[in-house]
Amino acid sequence: MVAPLFQMRCIGDHSLLVFVAKYGDKMIYLNQTASRIYQETSEGAAPAEIIAGFTRDYPSVSHAILERDITGFLQRLDQCVQGTPTLEGAISDGHFSETVLRRDAQQAWVPIEGSLELTFRCNLRCQHCYCIWCQWQRSERSTTEILDTLDQIRESGCLWLLLTGGEPLLRPDFNQIYSYARQKGFLVSVFTNGLLLNESICEVLATYPPMLLELSVYGMSNGTYNKITGHKSGFSRFQHVCDLLERYDINYALKSMVQRDNWSELPQMRQFAYDHGKKFRFDADVHARLDGQDVGPDVRLSPIDIVNIELDGNPHEIVRVWSESAKDRHRAYDQRLFCCQAGRTSFNIDPFGYVSMCGRVRNPEFSLTENTFAAIWQALNQMNARPVPNDFSCRSCPSIEFCRTCPAAYWLPASLREVEFCATARQRATAFTNVMINKGEDCHVKI
């Protein structure tokens, strides 16, 4: 399978060369001159033709200087193709900063990142899942419809794209969808339990490397996998998949949804990731299902257990980082409900073609069958600008700086808001304060 190395993307005032092959997370910023040279080269122009064109358009610049600069740029570009230099030193005709790109996207309301849920179906039956237990009366979109959506969001400026589910690998057209997205110049992340990965999928991932392939890990034994997912040999299969990915030299990261049946194995999961040289993260915030039903206390950890896990390691640094991010969240609620980038630079599309602010705020939703993405994006912009409602109690909560609350909390019933956010926030407020007061002492929460 021969893959193109670059795809040129124009996002706002920025021209980028996004690596399609070789790298999954690299891009090169091109200034106006470099962008023109690359475009003409892509259209088949010879170096002599390009130099002649620039000589004609810039008569005040000597032919020798133009020849030197254009030839040098093309040589460095070829070095990138061959993979001989370090990427950072290969192209010096412009400076790229992801921070600048995101900042400019925010100012211009460009949908630079989005998530695309390919299916709500799954090969596992996890207790904590927010989607697979719901009864859906809608049909999943066809391959053609999804590819058309990719074209539309690309045209609107989407660069970072998450493919998720359910289990996205259940779709028989996953390879086609993923390859198309990478060939179009998206930087693609994939969230998967990984158990369906096979050599066919790995060949595609190796040809078009993902920005991030994140595997969910549910425990360190088949018994724990069976309790949580219903898969009796899930851990054995997970180990095989990790070996398969390493054989194909595909980088991946691990994450875990920590709950009552696996939290005792969290140290082992961390160690597994460390032994394999992989990044690891976990989340203990189990949310309600999309139909509004709670998963129940048999799944979700208690607030005390959640805070103890969060403080494990370097509690003082954890509290410091948390406090800094919380200040920004608190200040944002003084102005508008959506203190995040939902509807401003990010969006979510479900398996049935409905676009919403994010995976947590799905109302209102807009159908891609009835509207273009560009028109829908304008509607989401208006929702993002919505001021904080007077009845949003989170705004005045004394524990808001210790809460993971987000705009979705506004639409939650009070009972769900309490178990998903409030109880844990109050526990953090007490525990984090104790950490700052009792430096150097045991920081576990006392019952």
Side-chain angles (χ1 to χ4, degrees):
M1 184 184 298
V2 178
L5 183 64
F6 299 120
Q7 177 65 238
M8 190 168 180
R9 298 292 310 275
C10 295
I11 300 174
D13 295 330
H14 298 280
S15 295
L16 309 168
L17 284 183
V18 177
F19 279 86
V20 172
K22 288 184 179 290
Y23 308 101
D25 60 347
K26 304 294 185 185
M27 48 192 163
I28 302 171
Y29 175 84
L30 299 180
N31 62 21
Q32 188 174 9
T33 302
S35 178
R36 173 178 166 180
I37 296 171
Y38 179 79
Q39 192 68 39
E40 292 182 9
T41 301
S42 300
E43 293 171 356
E49 296 177 88
I50 298 173
I51 294 168
F54 273 87
T55 301
R56 182 175 58 252
D57 295 341
Y58 298 93
S60 61
V61 183
S62 73
H63 178 84
I65 291 176
L66 287 173
E67 183 177 28
R68 180 200 66 192
D69 290 349
I70 292 172
T71 303
F73 172 78
L74 291 174
Q75 287 174 345
R76 292 194 297 275
L77 192 62
D78 186 61
Q79 286 178 325
C80 266
V81 173
Q82 301 303 322
T84 51
T86 61
L87 179 64
E88 290 75 17
I91 303 292
S92 58
D93 295 75
H95 174 70
F96 174 76
S97 167
E98 180 180 326
T99 302
V100 172
L101 184 58
R102 289 185 180 275
R103 181 203 65 196
D104 291 352
Q106 181 176 344
Q107 293 175 350
W109 296 74
V110 174
I112 202 165
E113 59 183 329
S115 57
L116 178 57
E117 296 165 328
L118 295 181
T119 182
F120 280 152
R121 294 175 292 119
C122 190
N123 54 318
L124 304 180
R125 308 302 290 173
C126 297
Q127 310 166 63
H128 59 269
C129 186
Y130 65 89
C131 64
I132 64 166
W133 301 101
C134 304
Q135 300 299 314
W136 304 105
Q137 304 302 319
R138 296 169 172 174
S139 299
E140 289 182 7
R141 306 180 76 216
S142 68
T143 307
T144 300
E145 289 171 322
I146 291 175
L147 300 187
D148 176 70
T149 295
L150 291 176
D151 289 339
Q152 290 191 53
I153 64 176
R154 184 188 190 277
E155 183 67 24
S156 293
C158 183
L159 175 63
W160 288 282
L161 179 66
L162 168 64
L163 299 181
T164 184
E167 175 46 58
L169 303 188
L170 264 179
R171 287 201 55 130
D173 55 1
F174 173 81
N175 283 354
Q176 182 180 356
I177 293 169
Y178 175 84
S179 300
Y180 189 84
R182 289 293 286 119
Q183 290 168 359
K184 287 292 183 177
F186 289 95
L187 296 175
V188 181
S189 298
V190 180
F191 286 179
T192 172
N193 61 52
L195 303 191
L196 296 177
L197 279 165
N198 54 35
E199 293 194 354
S200 172
I201 297 173
C202 284
E203 287 176 2
V204 172
L205 296 176
T207 302
Y208 305 105
M211 178 177 179
L212 172 66
L213 178 65
E214 192 170 71
L215 305 186
S216 294
V217 53
Y218 302 98
M220 286 286 106
S221 68
N222 284 327
T224 302
Y225 259 76
N226 190 31
K227 284 182 183 178
I228 294 175
T229 73
H231 195 304
K232 294 181 179 179
S233 57
F235 182 61
S236 296
R237 175 62 188 170
F238 169 78
Q239 291 176 299
H240 170 76
V241 164
C242 291
D243 293 340
L244 183 65
L245 290 171
E246 289 166 14
R247 178 153 55 89
Y248 276 88
D249 196 25
I250 299 169
N251 194 22
Y252 62 93
L254 300 177
K255 69 176 176 186
S256 182
M257 178 58 68
V258 181
Q259 53 188 278
R260 289 192 178 276
D261 283 334
N262 69 359
W263 76 303
S264 63
E265 297 179 12
L266 182 58
Q268 295 170 261
M269 288 188 270
R270 282 197 180 109
Q271 188 63 46
F272 182 94
Y274 178 81
D275 292 343
H276 286 73
K278 304 304 175 186
K279 293 181 179 179
F280 174 77
R281 69 181 180 95
F282 70 90
D283 189 357
D285 292 328
V286 178
H287 297 299
R289 296 167 184 161
L290 293 181
D291 59 7
Q293 297 297 311
D294 189 23
V295 298
D298 292 338
V299 176
R300 183 183 290 111
L301 290 175
S302 71
I304 289 177
D305 291 335
I306 291 175
V307 175
N308 275 336
I309 290 174
E310 291 174 344
L311 289 176
D312 186 36
N314 187 346
H316 303 105
E317 177 63 13
I318 291 168
V319 171
R320 185 193 67 78
V321 173
W322 183 281
S323 298
E324 289 300 314
S325 63
K327 289 177 184 176
D328 294 335
R329 185 186 305 114
H330 199 183
R331 281 195 295 265
Y333 276 138
D334 290 337
Q335 305 165 25
R336 54 194 176 90
L337 176 60
F338 284 90
C339 55
C340 56
Q341 293 302 309
R344 183 158 187 163
T345 63
S346 64
F347 59 90
N348 183 76
I349 304 177
D350 76 10
F352 318 114
Y354 286 85
V355 187
S356 59
M357 298 288 283
C358 67
R360 298 295 317 278
V361 180
R362 296 175 183 262
N363 186 26
E365 59 181 12
F366 303 90
S367 172
L368 283 166
T369 302
E370 302 171 0
N371 307 276
T372 64
F373 179 82
I376 292 172
W377 183 243
Q378 295 301 313
L380 296 185
N381 290 170
Q382 294 176 16
M383 189 169 177
N384 176 277
R386 177 178 179 172
V388 179
N390 293 330
D391 60 345
F392 188 30
S393 59
C394 293
R395 184 179 187 180
S396 58
C397 176
S399 300
I400 189 172
E401 293 188 5
F402 304 94
C403 188
R404 294 187 190 274
T405 184
C406 73
Y410 176 67
W411 286 275
L412 284 176
S415 58
L416 283 180
R417 192 185 305 170
E418 170 66 20
V419 297
E420 289 194 22
F421 297 107
C422 305
T424 304
R426 291 193 299 270
Q427 193 68 66
R428 285 194 195 101
T430 299
F432 286 16
T433 301
N434 288 341
V435 168
M436 302 311 294
I437 293 174
N438 303 311
K439 284 190 175 183
E441 297 182 7
D442 178 13
C443 297
H444 278 201
V445 181
K446 304 301 190 294
I447 298 176

